[in-house]
Amino acid sequence: MTLWPVKIVLPPNKSRVLYFSTKEEQQRWSIRLKESVGYANLFDYYNLGDTLGQGQFGLVKLAQHKKTSLQVAIKTVKKKDMKSIEVFQQRREIEVLKMCQHPNIIKLIDLFENSDYYYIVLEYMQGKDLFDYLKARDFNISEDRARDLTLQIAQAVQYMHQYGIVHRDIKLENIMMNNSTDLAVPKLVDFGLAKIIGPSEKADEPFGTLGYVAPEVLKKEPYSFSCDLWSLGCIAYALLSGSLPFDCETQEETIKMTLQGPLEFDLPVWDTISDVAKDLITGLLMKDPAKRLTLDRVLNHQWFKGMKK
Ligand code: ADP
Ligand code: MG
């Protein structure tokens, strides 16, 4: 009869061996013992599969929970490659994800850490990001669907803001879709630049992505929650027309247009879009953050009238 051993080492020089009659028993006890002393690791719980993407500090892998078969995405983050500010940002992203429980914010399922890696276990987003999702539809979706997506994203932003979290990097690439159907649900991801601030506190770090970043952030003025509303305006504009409002060939031009350029609805597609949609976008893309629409006014805007909130 084969016996399956689990060896327990008691430092400095003692050890015990427990024997089990089946491999399953051995595995079960091995995990249980590791759990009880805080040594359980990712590979005890998940089978790793295909690579889903490349993050800044490591691969993102598809994985399956051994017991429940739930598919998840595991972001591996190699600490050694990170500067201390990046370790700080990664920790902050994890803290923020732990706080957020909302249908339109990516869910943190589990977290493992050893001396070399963080393993961030996330809800698996089968539908890639919103940029790819729109591309697969030739950047041409109905106004109804654009409205539905804008509202869901606005609700995620409202949830975050209510907890004092500014995202600071809302863009099509940071919204992932849970599947690739026409009813897919968008979820906000990548809280690496997020910050927790008080209601009247301001931030001044120049963060974000050109094309989506608010004028006051570009001008290095103290800014607050409304920088996310500017980005939301850029998203709504892109959902309706397939392009960004102030995007140009060069970085310099994009900066200049963001700061001074007039908001135009000049592509032919805008002729087919309602005035209330344009009114909302105009309110979100006010260059002066004090004049920009607040989230309350956004959610109560005429464009969303009659929609389930
Ligand atoms: P980083 O913040 O380091 O750039 P991301 O979180 O953006 O890493 O992830 C990198 C890539 O991995 C994404 O562009 C995407 O293709 C894939 N990915 C990340 N998270 C998920 C997820 N939850 N489900 C599916 N794919 C994901
Ligand atoms: Mg990213």
Side-chain angles (χ1 to χ4, degrees), residues 51-62 72-77 90 93 106-107 121-129 132 173-174 176-177 189-192:
T51 297
L52 294 171
Q54 171 77 57
Q56 212 183 336
F57 302 106
L59 295 176
V60 179
K61 293 269 194 183
L62 180 63
V72 295
I74 300 183
K75 191 165 160 177
T76 58
V77 178
Q90 189 60 66
E93 172 166 35
I106 189 95
K107 192 163 141 207
V121 183
L122 299 165
E123 194 179 358
Y124 172 41
M125 293 288 109
Q126 227 173 337
K128 302 207 198 143
D129 68 42
D132 289 331
E173 291 83 351
N174 279 340
M176 292 198 76
M177 307 301 286
V189 302
D190 211 338
F191 288 76

Side-chain angles (χ1 to χ4, degrees), residues 5-279:
V6 170
K7 186 173 182 181
I8 304 172
V9 178
L10 307 162
N13 53 14
K14 282 190 189 156
S15 68
R16 293 267 188 288
V17 182
L18 307 177
Y19 292 96
F20 299 92
S21 51
T22 65
K23 194 172 178 199
E24 290 68 39
E25 277 276 279
Q26 178 212 34
Q27 298 253 303
R28 212 153 54 81
W29 276 95
S30 150
I31 292 176
R32 196 173 287 176
L33 287 165
K34 282 199 260 178
E35 275 174 349
S36 64
V37 292
Y39 267 103
N41 69 48
L42 176 78
F43 306 96
D44 292 326
Y45 299 102
Y46 292 95
N47 289 316
L48 266 62
D50 295 345
T51 297
L52 294 171
Q54 171 77 57
Q56 212 183 336
F57 302 106
L59 295 176
V60 179
K61 293 269 194 183
L62 180 63
Q64 190 167 40
H65 191 266
K66 289 183 182 178
K67 263 193 203 150
T68 64
S69 302
L70 180 74
Q71 285 196 307
V72 295
I74 300 183
K75 191 165 160 177
T76 58
V77 178
K78 194 169 181 183
K79 296 186 200 171
K80 217 170 64 198
D81 299 339
M82 302 169 94
K83 299 190 200 108
S84 59
I85 173 76
E86 291 163 340
V87 174
F88 174 78
Q89 273 164 14
Q90 189 60 66
R91 291 226 180 99
R92 186 146 72 184
E93 172 166 35
I94 293 168
E95 284 316 307
V96 167
L97 286 174
K98 275 188 193 164
M99 280 168 73
C100 291
Q101 302 279 339
H102 188 274
N104 299 111
I105 296 179
I106 189 95
K107 192 163 141 207
L108 176 71
I109 294 174
D110 220 333
L111 183 65
F112 295 86
E113 182 181 358
N114 60 31
S115 53
D116 298 328
Y117 288 94
Y118 289 112
Y119 299 100
I120 306 171
V121 183
L122 299 165
E123 194 179 358
Y124 172 41
M125 293 288 109
Q126 227 173 337
K128 302 207 198 143
D129 68 42
L130 187 48
F131 183 87
D132 289 331
Y133 183 87
L134 291 176
K135 196 167 154 198
R137 288 161 175 77
D138 293 324
F139 293 96
N140 188 358
I141 58 171
S142 69
E143 180 172 336
D144 273 355
R145 178 63 170 149
R147 173 168 54 185
D148 166 44
L149 290 168
T150 306
L151 179 61
Q152 293 190 59
I153 298 159
Q155 284 170 332
V157 176
Q158 180 197 36
Y159 177 91
M160 267 171 31
H161 284 191
Q162 170 194 310
Y163 284 102
I165 303 162
V166 242
H167 186 286
R168 303 198 288 190
D169 199 17
I170 297 176
K171 54 180 171 179
L172 295 174
E173 291 83 351
N174 279 340
I175 295 163
M176 292 198 76
M177 307 301 286
N178 70 341
N179 61 52
S180 42
T181 71
D182 288 338
L183 295 173
V185 175
K187 306 205 183 204
L188 205 48
V189 302
D190 211 338
F191 288 76
L193 295 185
K195 186 172 186 178
I196 303 169
I197 61 175
S200 55
E201 207 182 328
K202 302 258 180 185
D204 55 11
E205 302 92 331
F207 274 152
T209 303
L210 220 49
Y212 294 90
V213 69
E216 67 273 19
V217 180
L218 280 178
K219 284 195 273 186
K220 301 196 173 74
E221 287 172 2
Y223 60 87
S224 188
F225 295 96
S226 53
C227 70
D228 284 340
L229 288 157
W230 174 277
S231 309
L232 182 67
C234 296
I235 299 269
Y237 190 101
L239 286 169
L240 288 164
S241 71
S243 59
L244 285 169
F246 303 109
D247 206 26
C248 301
E249 291 282 307
T250 67
Q251 294 198 348
E252 290 72 28
E253 278 178 283
T254 303
I255 293 173
K256 197 169 160 218
M257 283 301 283
T258 304
L259 293 176
Q260 295 156 17
L263 173 63
E264 277 167 355
F265 298 105
D266 47 357
L267 293 169
V269 62
W270 287 109
D271 296 339
T272 68
I273 289 164
S274 68
D275 287 338
V276 273
K278 291 177 201 164
D279 181 75

